[in-house]
Amino acid sequence: MPVTNGKVIFNSVPEGYPEPGKTTVYDDSEQIDLESVPIPDGGFLVKTLYLSVDPYMRGRMREPTKKSYSPPFILGEPLTGHGVGVVLKSKSSEFKEGAHVYGVFKHQNYIVYPNRAGLIVLDNKQKLPWSYYVGAAGMPGKTAYMAWKEYSSSKKGETVFVSGGAGAVGSFVIQLAKIDGCKVIASAGSDEKVEFMKSIGADVAFNYKTSNTLDVLNEHGPIDIYWDNVGGPTLEAALEAANTNARFIECGMISGYNTAGGAPIKNIIHVVSKSISMFGFIVSRLEHKYDEQFYKEVPELIAAGKLKVLEDVFEGLASVGDAILAVQKGTNKGKAVVRVADQ
């Protein structure tokens, strides 16, 4: 019997925050017969279980003429992003029926892959929840782990400032910095998130909406390493409070994602006067160097309880638009995950 193959369609380019039902639309009009769907030699049919919703997705909601490091979403087509699924049928020697796979998924219930398409098979020896493989054991975890290893040059006793410290990446960075023996200052936008950052080891955690960021940094700094998830005024404060020879790891600048790029940074001259090293990066450019090490170390750290994970799970494919908006507004509590289906 045919079943619904729901999709989340990119419907319009947003001017500000993406609107569920306008920017993205859930479409349940398509049916798929799982028994008779044609599968090419070397291909396989995947049922989507979990999808990741991440800040960078806002940058893909643009006109196709605008260039960036990641391709734009295509109007009228499903969104794409990192996901975990299970193979239902296969004509591939590499992807067996019942295998769980990770990689880039269309935002739909069922997908026929004509080839491996960059997917990997997850062995999950630690028996972690499959959702963790779109979070701490997936791309956000790689973002934190790989860039920290590559750029932090951290030394025991140094002071680290992490903005967006309650998010999927920032919370991982806090814990990596503590493992390295650093003092950690972390900011987020609610008192509940402040308590979470304290629970994972932040020495100083504050709500940037009710505390002055520069005052906090001046009191507890100077800072040797800044992990930047937000840009804007927080980046300016970090530049003011930076130590000589500080390292700035520029992961994201979400303060400007929905406001045409955000305000200019007025005190960038501190990069010169304080001899600051500033590193921008895209995680896919680091994977070739750290992927094997990541999958060897990180699932074990999670399983052992040495890396704590907080998820905010949105139920069903139709909730993708709500999850995207929550991430852009910072109302999610932990890694935003969409549970599309159980096993």
Side-chain angles (χ1 to χ4, degrees):
M1 291 287 293
V3 297
T4 298
N5 191 13
K7 302 176 180 180
V8 181
I9 302 297
F10 181 45
N11 188 62
S12 66
V13 176
E15 292 184 2
Y17 286 104
E19 298 181 43
K22 180 180 178 182
T23 306
T24 57
V25 174
Y26 175 64
D27 177 4
D28 62 358
S29 62
E30 182 179 295
Q31 300 279 300
I32 184 172
D33 190 324
L34 301 179
E35 295 301 320
S36 63
V37 60
I39 299 172
D41 289 339
F44 46 97
L45 171 65
V46 172
K47 177 182 179 180
T48 305
L49 300 180
Y50 292 95
L51 293 170
S52 179
V53 172
D54 300 290
Y56 83 93
M57 295 171 73
R58 177 61 179 83
R60 298 186 65 190
M61 296 177 173
R62 65 181 192 272
E63 298 290 351
T65 53
K66 293 183 179 180
K67 304 300 181 185
S68 184
Y69 69 92
S70 59
F73 293 131
I74 300 172
L75 287 169
E77 295 292 327
L79 302 183
T80 59
H82 290 88
V84 168
V86 61
V87 177
L88 298 183
K89 297 178 69 177
S90 178
K91 291 184 179 180
S92 167
S93 59
E94 188 176 3
F95 295 88
K96 307 289 189 183
E97 290 182 17
H100 285 78
V101 295
Y102 166 80
V104 174
F105 280 47
K106 291 181 180 180
H107 281 210
Q108 58 189 59
N109 291 107
Y110 301 95
I111 309 161
V112 175
Y113 288 92
N115 50 54
R116 75 187 314 269
L119 298 183
I120 62 170
V121 175
L122 298 170
D123 58 27
N124 197 8
K125 295 175 183 176
Q126 298 79 17
K127 301 195 181 306
L128 301 176
W130 290 112
S131 59
Y132 284 17
Y133 283 93
V134 297
M139 185 277 290
K142 290 182 181 184
T143 299
Y145 178 91
M146 295 178 182
W148 182 260
K149 295 290 185 185
E150 182 75 6
Y151 303 120
S152 71
S153 301
S154 62
K155 304 176 188 66
K156 186 176 181 179
E158 287 191 314
T159 298
V160 179
F161 174 39
V162 182
S163 60
V169 174
S171 61
F172 200 149
V173 174
I174 290 171
Q175 295 175 83
L176 290 173
K178 292 306 298 180
I179 289 171
D180 284 357
C182 297
K183 172 185 173 180
V184 176
I185 307 167
S187 66
S190 74
D191 293 342
E192 183 179 359
K193 291 181 179 182
V194 167
E195 292 306 312
F196 170 62
M197 294 187 296
K198 290 178 180 177
S199 76
I200 58 174
D203 300 281
V204 179
F206 69 97
N207 182 343
Y208 72 86
K209 294 179 180 177
T210 57
S211 298
N212 182 283
T213 299
L214 183 56
D215 288 348
V216 174
L217 297 181
N218 282 336
E219 180 180 355
H220 298 284
I223 58 175
D224 302 293
I225 303 169
Y226 174 42
W227 184 285
D228 188 11
N229 286 312
V230 302
T234 306
L235 174 55
E236 287 188 345
L239 287 163
E240 288 292 336
N243 211 345
T244 303
N245 296 316
R247 286 84 71 201
F248 278 41
I249 304 173
E250 297 300 317
C251 178
M253 297 188 179
I254 198 169
S255 65
Y257 289 177
N258 298 283
T259 56
I265 304 301
K266 303 182 188 70
N267 58 348
I268 196 70
I269 188 61
H270 285 316
V271 172
V272 178
S273 63
K274 297 183 179 186
S275 301
I276 294 170
S277 297
M278 188 172 278
F279 303 96
F281 74 98
I282 302 299
V283 66
S284 59
R285 298 170 188 161
L286 296 174
E287 284 182 303
H288 71 281
K289 184 173 181 179
Y290 292 104
D291 222 37
E292 183 177 350
Q293 184 179 346
F294 174 85
Y295 281 113
K296 182 179 179 181
E297 293 184 10
V298 170
E300 288 288 351
L301 289 170
I302 297 170
K306 295 179 180 179
L307 282 174
K308 295 181 175 63
V309 177
L310 178 65
E311 293 183 314
D312 195 346
V313 179
F314 293 75
E315 294 292 345
L317 196 59
S319 71
V320 165
D322 294 324
I324 291 171
L325 182 59
V327 168
Q328 294 303 314
K329 289 194 168 184
T331 57
N332 59 302
K333 301 174 180 66
K335 172 71 186 91
V337 175
V338 175
R339 178 161 42 212
V340 179
D342 294 321
Q343 286 288 56

